[in-house]
Amino acid sequence: MRTKNISTNCVVLLALLFSSVTSFAQQSHIGKLTGNAKQGKALYRRYCIFCHGPYGDGTGENAPYMDPKPRDFTKATFKCRSTPSGSLPLDSDLYDTISRGVHSSGMPSWRPLTRQQRADLVAYVKSFSSRFEEEKPGAALEIPPAPPNSAESAKHGAELFESMNCWSCHGKEGRGNGPNARTLTDSKGYPIVPPDLTSGMHFKCGDSDQAMFRDLMTGLDGTPMPSFSDAVKPAEAWDLVHYVETLHLNAKKGILVKAEPKGE
Amino acid sequence: MSMRFVSTILTGVLAAGAVSGGAPRAGSAPAPSAAVVKGTVKVQGAVPKATRIDMSQDPKCSPGHPGGVMTDDIVADGSSGLEDAIVYVSQGLGDAKFEPPKEAAVIEQKGCMYKPHVVAVRANQELKVVNSDTTTHNIHPAPNNNRESNQTQPPGAPLSMTFAREEIAIPVKCNIHPWMHSYIAVFKHPYFAVTGKDGSFEIGNLPPGSYTITAWHGKLGTTIQKITVGESETKTIEFVLKAQAGS
């Protein structure tokens, strides 16, 4: 009798354990919001399925006509993250992306939906990859306060733009025409072009200085744009941000700032 | 009923433990009865000629190559021995589990080329990435079954990565220097070898048994052979991979 009881308890415990694991993976947590995949599914079928497809693999009806292609959620590889390259994004990263949309792509902003609905969508998007059950996102990047944008900081940024080989893709003048620009493909093999940093165009993962700092440090996974977190110090990343801003401004004034060539 | 259920789980766990405990681990002394599979991988047909790589876009790459540098996608010696093929046990090990070795494997970026062109590691083994150049690289593995990452590495900066799951093999690129390609093969067991300049390989310390052995090459595909090795036996086999014109 006793052994039977214990073993029954064991089974119940195991069952509980499993059910709580799965239900946790079907949720999202953004601040005080808790999103639910079940609700998210209904929203997804209404708003997202045409592009991202019924199985979340990016092959919706509209996909053939789109460049860049809708994201394949089964790979769990995302461009806009505050976590290290190779890591899963935070729930709040996905929430921000869904809210903001992805500039220069067909991915619209979903701010018209309620915050709860967007949180539910995050939970459902995560359910397409078992990685969200198996792994935890890496530590979120710390973004130190921005130092003032001085000429000196931008000049150091220009030197880093040269020594870090940013120019090999973005071009010496940041116009998106570096020697590699035409060879680049994303991880699905589709051609991808580096943005013209002098055009003043919107960036994909947000336009704030903090967003650019984050993109440089974590990289845009699934694309050739690499992470610089192990390559530059935070202060240097700010220098790069300041330099890229100068490119914007000077382009507006019609002046080209050339990264100083070294070793040529 | 439920009692039996729990005890089945327990036996399962114990059995799995016994298997992994008894199986050889990398670095441990070979069991006296262990077998060896060795031989060569050869290439048949016309091997496309290596071409000169144009590295002129980055002057920091060329000092390593005063005479220029040739592509290393398919490298064969005078007797058709194929370098940088991987030979490995693809079936026959059951679900034996192996601890990854403590020592790190190394891939080096030198003269804007990857050394070696093919590196084989174990799942969860540290892979040290070394930049011996004076230019900045990015290392961008594009796996199917592991995490994709893409990190910049300036001269001398330390960098390490690991891959959790078996995958043969992950293509690796440097997007800054588009001619730079390599492969990282990830194994969950220690029974693999990368062929040397003459196409030779040797897989040692193999428990006697029947296995499927696969030879893989990044450009020439795969071929398999089934073998059975007895106690302390050394078996010699040859693989042939076909080069098609234009491959």
Side-chain angles (χ1 to χ4, degrees):
Chain A
M1 256 334 252
R2 252 201 89 181
T3 44
K4 182 154 191 220
N5 252 335
I6 293 177
S7 58
T8 322
N9 283 346
C10 269
V11 174
V12 170
L13 202 80
L14 275 175
L16 267 177
L17 212 81
F18 283 123
S19 70
S20 71
V21 164
T22 41
S23 70
F24 189 76
Q26 304 290 312
Q27 286 186 348
S28 69
H29 299 274
I30 299 111
K32 287 196 187 118
L33 279 178
T34 299
N36 253 304
K38 230 176 143 188
Q39 275 79 2
K41 182 174 184 179
L43 292 161
Y44 181 90
R45 300 191 76 83
R46 181 147 173 214
Y47 298 115
C48 323
I49 201 164
F50 316 104
C51 294
H52 292 283
Y55 309 106
D57 58 0
T59 59
E61 278 169 40
N62 296 341
Y65 315 104
M66 307 194 76
D67 175 25
K69 299 287 176 216
R71 187 68 65 256
D72 173 356
F73 300 134
T74 66
K75 298 269 186 229
T77 298
F78 292 95
K79 291 185 180 177
C80 310
R81 303 172 336 278
S82 52
T83 53
S85 181
S87 161
L88 294 172
L90 302 179
D91 288 0
S92 56
D93 290 333
L94 294 173
Y95 178 86
D96 289 346
T97 305
I98 293 171
S99 305
R100 189 187 55 240
V102 181
H103 286 299
S104 334
S105 87
M107 168 70 186
S109 158
W110 295 99
R111 250 189 214 108
L113 301 181
T114 66
R115 298 179 64 230
Q116 181 62 49
Q117 287 176 315
R118 283 175 264 156
D120 292 340
L121 281 163
V122 171
Y124 190 60
V125 163
K126 284 164 61 185
S127 72
F128 287 114
S129 167
S130 59
R131 272 188 66 192
F132 284 98
E133 280 163 48
E134 293 155 7
E135 300 168 25
K136 285 216 156 43
L141 177 75
E142 278 182 37
I143 305 185
N149 187 350
S150 64
E152 207 174 317
S153 167
K155 185 166 170 274
H156 189 219
E159 283 159 20
L160 287 163
F161 198 82
E162 168 71 25
S163 67
M164 291 293 147
N165 287 347
C166 311
W167 60 269
S168 73
C169 300
H170 291 280
K172 292 267 183 203
E173 289 134 8
R175 293 185 160 271
N177 58 354
N180 295 331
R182 298 175 66 173
T183 69
L184 301 174
T185 58
D186 68 13
S187 303
K188 296 248 170 182
Y190 295 108
I192 188 170
V193 286
D196 179 349
L197 299 172
T198 68
S199 69
M201 70 194 266
H202 290 299
F203 291 144
K204 300 216 145 176
C205 304
D207 280 323
S208 66
D209 293 358
Q210 278 70 21
M212 205 203 303
F213 180 98
R214 182 203 57 206
D215 292 352
L216 292 179
M217 288 308 229
T218 67
L220 269 59
D221 277 3
T223 85
M225 172 69 193
S227 150
F228 288 85
S229 60
D230 292 318
V232 300
K233 297 190 194 70
E236 295 176 315
W238 280 122
D239 292 338
L240 279 162
V241 169
H242 290 155
Y243 172 63
V244 174
E245 277 177 351
T246 325
L247 290 176
H248 266 254
L249 289 177
N250 284 344
K252 282 190 190 136
K253 289 189 217 135
I255 309 167
L256 289 180
V257 184
K258 204 164 182 162
E260 273 158 50
K262 275 188 206 152
E264 269 183 356
Chain B
M1 258 325 252
S2 41
M3 188 60 215
R4 185 181 296 156
F5 171 60
V6 171
S7 63
T8 321
I9 293 186
L10 268 181
T11 351
V13 169
L14 286 177
V19 170
S20 71
R25 299 202 169 138
S28 63
S33 61
V36 175
V37 178
K38 61 178 202 170
T40 16
V41 180
K42 302 218 155 168
V43 57
Q44 193 183 66
V47 176
K49 276 218 169 62
T51 49
R52 192 171 296 274
I53 299 173
D54 178 7
M55 294 189 180
S56 58
Q57 74 174 58
D58 190 344
K60 290 181 190 144
C61 291
S62 26
H65 315 283
V69 62
M70 307 301 278
T71 49
D72 56 358
D73 293 326
I74 306 180
V75 181
D77 72 357
S79 5
S80 305
L82 183 64
E83 192 181 354
D84 286 334
I86 307 175
V87 180
Y88 63 95
V89 174
S90 48
Q91 259 169 46
L93 290 165
D95 352 302
K97 298 238 174 357
F98 305 92
E99 288 289 314
K102 296 262 181 300
E103 334 64 88
V106 178
I107 184 163
E108 185 186 15
Q109 299 146 110
K110 196 169 185 202
C112 297
M113 297 289 281
Y114 288 110
K115 310 275 171 200
H117 184 64
V118 170
V119 61
V121 299
R122 299 268 299 282
N124 293 316
Q125 180 183 10
E126 180 184 4
L127 174 63
K128 277 207 172 85
V129 183
V130 177
N131 182 0
S132 309
D133 286 331
T134 57
T135 190
T136 299
H137 293 291
N138 73 312
I139 181 144
H140 189 171
N144 273 321
N145 197 24
N146 281 285
R147 302 177 188 187
E148 172 174 350
S149 68
N150 181 5
Q151 274 173 314
T152 309
Q153 190 179 35
L159 190 67
S160 279
M161 44 180 73
T162 54
F163 298 92
R165 287 175 279 275
E166 185 162 83
E167 184 165 354
I168 304 139
I170 303 171
V172 181
K173 295 198 232 194
C174 171
N175 301 107
I176 295 174
H177 305 104
W179 60 84
M180 289 176 71
H181 294 285
S182 71
Y183 295 95
I184 301 172
V186 185
F187 289 95
K188 57 185 181 203
H189 61 69
Y191 306 110
F192 56 84
V194 180
T195 56
K197 287 203 179 318
D198 55 356
S200 67
F201 67 89
E202 179 168 332
I203 302 170
N205 207 4
L206 195 60
S210 294
Y211 301 101
T212 305
I213 313 281
T214 299
W216 171 99
H217 184 273
K219 285 279 182 283
L220 304 176
T222 58
T223 172
I224 61 166
Q225 284 188 41
K226 292 193 194 290
I227 58 153
T228 300
V229 280
E231 288 196 0
S232 311
E233 187 184 352
T234 295
K235 186 151 237 155
T236 305
I237 52 179
E238 187 179 288
F239 288 95
V240 178
L241 286 165
K242 288 201 178 78
Q244 264 114 39
S247 70

